[in-house]
């Protein structure tokens, strides 16, 4: 079929999310997956995966050669240089690529309130707007909104939990529900998106595994670590927001984390995309995850989820 998407290349497959998407597509015999990687990258991939190496500026001639015969590209490049994203998109059009999945995967950047709260997301919005402007060229796109990366967020301490020290930073009263998705689910969702090109073309789709509060996560962590009470540090989302903007004003990009946490822990219903958008979990055939307690226990034990 003309609209089938089977040959998929991932740009930026060595980051936090890339390996999970690569694994999901690689284990599905429906797809032939390859990687677009910078020549100086230290990332490694399974030996059977074709890796197309290009200069760090992603020059058109090198990228065009890599994109020949590809049906889709998953763009996981950092949002630091939007011109590179646009250049790769232009080259994808020249190569006849059918679908681009931009580097969304997180907060709902289709919501203006989110952009206002976390201005660095304007880069993601700019890329999506650019893709919208190219819809008449035969190229389509899908933005996948996932909320936080749940298992990565726990292990990396990004969302405020220290699994080794048994310490947690709780924002406000800790009861605001947040949306999060497992890395493995995101990988599956990318595959399902590409298998359903008509259903997912030229739109944002919204998925999540959990809608839980900080206090619920903390309770599961305490169960998984023998029932002992964790040490709690209290912080307000107003403090996090103020700190984030102050850091960014000084060129300290660690402030982005503060702004993201302020938005997810203190944004309320306005930031809860599950209340305003239809879930794609069902249409994409995503399995319901195991319970929060089971997933948290596996993460604590270092088991695959």
């Amino acid at each position: 079929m003309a609209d089938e998407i089977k040959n998929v290349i991932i740009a930026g497959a060595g980051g936090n999310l890339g390996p999970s998407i690569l694994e999901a597509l690689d284990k599905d015999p429906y797809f032939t997956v390859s990687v677009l990687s910078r020549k100086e990258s230290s990332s490694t991939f399974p030996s059977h995966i074709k890796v197309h190496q290009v200069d760090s500026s992603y020059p058109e001639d090198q990228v065009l050669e890599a994109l020949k015969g590809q049906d889709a590209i998953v763009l996981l490049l950092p949002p630091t240089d939007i011109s590179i994203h646009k250049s790769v998109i232009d080259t994808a059009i020249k190569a006849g690529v059918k679908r681009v999945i931009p580097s969304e995967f997180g907060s709902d950047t289709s919501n203006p309130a989110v952009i206002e709260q976390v201005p660095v997301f304007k880069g993601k919005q700019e890329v999506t707007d650019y893709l919208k402007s190219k819809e008449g060229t035969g190229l389509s796109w899908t933005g996948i909104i996932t909320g936080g990366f749940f298992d990565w967020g726990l292990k990396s301490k990004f969302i405020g939990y220290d699994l080794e020290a048994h310490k947690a930073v709780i924002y406000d009263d800790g009861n605001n529900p947040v949306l999060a998705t497992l890395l493995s689910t995101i990988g599956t969702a990318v595959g399902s998106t590409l298998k359903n090109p008509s259903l997912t073309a030229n739109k944002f789709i919204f998925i999540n595994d959990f809608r839980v509060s900080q206090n619920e996560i903390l309770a599961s962590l305490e169960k998984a670590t023998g029932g002992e009470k964790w040490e709690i540090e209290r912080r307000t989302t107003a403090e996090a927001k103020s700190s984030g903007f102050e850091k960014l004003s000084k060129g300290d990009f660690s402030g982005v984390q503060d702004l993201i946490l302020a938005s997810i822990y203190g944004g309320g219903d306005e930031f809860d995309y599950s209340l305003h958008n239809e879930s794609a979990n069902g249409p994409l055939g995503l399995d319901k995850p195991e319970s929060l307690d089971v997933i948290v226990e596996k993460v604590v034990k270092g088991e695959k989820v």
Side-chain angles (χ1 to χ4, degrees):
M1 295 174 61
D3 62 346
E4 278 188 331
I5 295 174
K6 291 193 171 186
N7 297 322
V8 185
I9 190 166
I10 303 173
N16 297 320
L17 177 58
S20 296
I21 295 177
L22 178 61
E23 179 182 359
L25 298 181
D26 183 37
K27 72 181 182 182
D28 188 335
Y30 183 86
F31 295 109
T32 299
V33 62
S34 57
V35 167
L36 183 66
S37 180
R38 292 174 295 110
K39 291 177 180 177
E40 66 267 31
S41 172
S42 60
S43 298
T44 59
F45 306 99
S47 58
H48 65 280
I49 297 292
K50 172 69 174 177
V51 179
H52 302 268
Q53 293 187 321
V54 297
D55 294 334
S56 59
S57 61
Y58 290 86
E60 180 183 311
D61 59 335
Q62 296 177 17
V63 175
L64 184 61
E65 183 64 28
L67 295 187
K68 286 182 180 178
Q70 301 293 344
D71 299 316
I73 180 169
V74 182
L75 272 178
L76 299 177
L77 303 177
T80 49
D81 191 343
I82 299 307
S83 65
I84 287 181
H85 289 249
K86 292 180 177 180
S87 174
V88 172
I89 290 167
D90 289 340
T91 306
I93 293 171
K94 291 182 179 180
V97 173
K98 304 171 187 175
R99 178 67 54 93
V100 172
I101 297 184
S103 186
E104 288 289 340
F105 304 108
S107 299
D108 177 14
T109 61
S110 69
N111 182 348
V114 171
I115 301 297
E116 182 179 355
Q117 178 82 6
V118 192
V120 293
F121 286 163
K122 288 180 181 177
K124 291 187 175 188
Q125 185 183 54
E126 185 178 341
V127 171
T128 304
D129 287 344
Y130 192 70
L131 284 166
K132 290 178 181 178
S133 74
K134 301 297 181 181
E135 289 176 8
T137 65
L139 185 74
S140 60
W141 62 275
T142 309
I144 304 177
I145 305 301
T146 64
F149 303 166
F150 186 69
D151 42 335
W152 175 84
L154 283 178
K155 290 185 284 188
S156 68
K157 307 178 187 178
F158 186 91
I159 58 175
Y161 303 94
D162 188 328
L163 304 187
E164 295 181 359
H166 296 181
K167 295 179 180 179
V169 180
I170 300 297
Y171 292 79
D172 300 335
D173 64 6
N175 290 323
N176 187 64
V178 298
L179 299 164
T181 308
L182 298 171
L183 293 177
S184 59
T185 301
I186 298 173
T188 301
V190 170
S192 296
T193 295
L194 297 175
K195 284 182 176 179
N196 294 276
S198 299
L199 177 69
T200 60
N202 300 329
K203 64 171 68 173
F204 285 98
I205 60 174
F206 301 84
I207 66 171
N208 68 283
D209 281 322
F210 298 109
R211 183 176 185 267
V212 293
S213 70
Q214 297 170 81
N215 289 332
E216 289 174 308
I217 296 171
L218 176 61
S220 287
L221 283 166
E222 289 177 340
K223 287 180 187 177
T225 52
E228 66 172 277
K229 291 297 181 182
W230 281 32
E231 180 181 334
I232 306 300
E233 175 188 341
R234 296 284 175 180
R235 193 183 189 201
T236 68
T237 51
E239 289 170 346
K241 182 177 180 179
S242 176
S243 171
F245 279 115
E246 182 179 355
K247 288 177 180 177
L248 286 179
S249 72
K250 298 176 180 177
D252 180 358
F253 282 89
S254 69
V256 174
Q257 180 179 0
D258 285 331
L259 295 180
I260 291 174
L261 294 178
S263 70
I264 65 174
Y265 288 147
D269 290 353
E270 185 179 16
F271 287 76
D272 187 341
Y273 61 79
S274 70
L275 300 178
H276 312 292
N277 301 277
E278 181 181 353
S279 172
N281 284 42
L284 292 182
L286 303 181
D287 293 333
K288 185 176 180 180
E290 297 175 287
S291 71
L292 178 65
D293 284 348
V294 170
I295 292 296
V296 167
E297 183 177 10
K298 286 185 175 181
V299 172
V300 168
K301 291 180 177 179
E303 297 176 2
K304 189 175 179 65
V305 294

